[in-house]
Amino acid sequence: GQQLNQSPQSMFIQEGEDVSMNCTSSSIFNTWLWYKQEPGEGPVLLIALYKAGELTSNGRLTAQFGITRKDSFLNISASIPSDVGIYFCAGPANAGGTSYGKLTFGQGTILTVHP
Amino acid sequence: DAGVIQSPRHEVTEMGQEVTLRCKPISGHNSLFWYRQTMMRGLELLIYFNNNVPIDDSGMPEDRFSAKMPNASFSTLKIQPSEPRDSAVYFCASSRGGPKFFGPGTRLTVL
């Protein structure tokens, strides 16, 4: 199956700062997904990327599908306290697969925002 | 619209006991997934169903785990007998040919 490496593992930032995290895979992906998980809840889909080079925004969040198809980036601008949570990247568990079946998840980036 | 519903939200049991986790997917979704989340291993897919049929159960840890989906609106994940190493948060997710929507999870503690 695909392996995902997500970094950094954790971030402690001040409110208002921008945040950047990334995910790399051991092989080519057709889809990249970014999820956020808040304490006591399940992951919630933030952004889905389906094409190499694609840049997609969702409010203050922007994600990019790397040109090599082996990486993806998530940026959060002007962070606020409610951005706190664990951010996961995810992609198809099998090479050439879609996001509709098995997903493999990165280890997650724990984000803490100080007011 | 109601999201994915899981019950119970918390379960504490003793080693050796049978545990049954329940999931109601979003209406109209035809794929259902069971995931397990631990600090050590992160989010792992256990099994997934498409149109109520199990498609891939390669993530099921061992024979003590079983899952069923008797109809489009209900699925169970059973552990019998339970062991302390089964302690984790178990998530159910559903989808309809697209990204998955996760339920709130069941936090299982096996003493």
Side-chain angles (χ1 to χ4, degrees):
Chain A
Q2 309 275 44
Q3 299 291 322
L4 290 181
N5 289 308
Q6 193 170 343
S7 66
Q9 288 189 339
S10 60
M11 302 182 74
F12 298 83
I13 62 170
Q14 290 293 127
E15 182 177 0
E17 288 184 11
D18 295 343
V19 172
S20 189
M21 61 192 78
N22 70 82
C23 202
T24 60
S25 67
S26 55
S27 47
I28 290 172
F29 270 24
N30 292 329
T31 304
W32 282 98
L33 306 171
W34 285 93
Y35 283 85
K36 177 188 178 187
Q37 184 177 21
E38 297 187 8
E41 301 295 329
V44 173
L45 181 67
L46 298 173
I47 293 179
L49 301 162
Y50 299 105
K51 192 174 168 183
E54 181 180 352
L55 188 72
T56 297
S57 293
N58 178 6
R60 292 176 298 104
L61 277 62
T62 302
Q64 184 163 23
F65 193 142
I67 280 292
T68 66
R69 294 169 64 192
K70 288 188 176 182
D71 57 6
S72 180
F73 306 87
L74 176 69
N75 297 313
I76 305 172
S77 62
S79 59
I80 59 178
S82 62
D83 290 333
V84 164
I86 306 176
Y87 291 79
F88 292 98
C89 60
N94 300 311
T98 69
S99 65
Y100 305 163
K102 292 178 70 169
L103 286 182
T104 189
F105 283 82
Q107 308 96 315
T109 294
I110 302 171
L111 178 63
T112 303
V113 180
H114 295 287
Chain B
D1 289 338
V4 175
I5 299 172
Q6 290 187 248
S7 64
R9 291 295 309 273
H10 302 272
E11 177 81 34
V12 180
T13 190
E14 292 188 344
M15 183 173 67
Q17 297 296 306
E18 177 180 300
V19 174
T20 299
L21 311 181
R22 297 172 177 80
C23 174
K24 177 178 169 55
I26 294 172
S27 177
H29 283 193
N30 61 343
S31 295
L32 183 140
F33 306 79
W34 282 101
Y35 283 86
R36 178 172 67 176
Q37 186 177 40
T38 61
M39 288 293 292
M40 290 297 294
R41 301 175 67 90
L43 273 162
E44 304 173 278
L45 178 67
L46 301 177
I47 184 172
Y48 82 93
F49 296 83
N50 199 38
N51 295 323
N52 312 340
V53 175
I55 300 301
D56 187 335
D57 65 354
S58 59
M60 295 287 260
E62 47 199 270
D63 292 345
R64 296 185 298 106
F65 285 69
S66 63
K68 293 182 180 179
M69 192 164 185
N71 58 61
S73 58
F74 184 65
S75 176
T76 59
L77 178 67
K78 185 178 292 186
I79 308 173
Q80 166 64 14
S82 58
E83 297 182 3
R85 60 191 167 124
D86 300 331
S87 297
V89 181
Y90 290 81
F91 289 104
C92 175
S94 71
S95 71
R96 188 175 70 178
K100 298 163 184 49
F101 292 83
F102 283 77
T106 295
R107 180 173 293 278
L108 173 65
T109 302
V110 183
L111 303 173

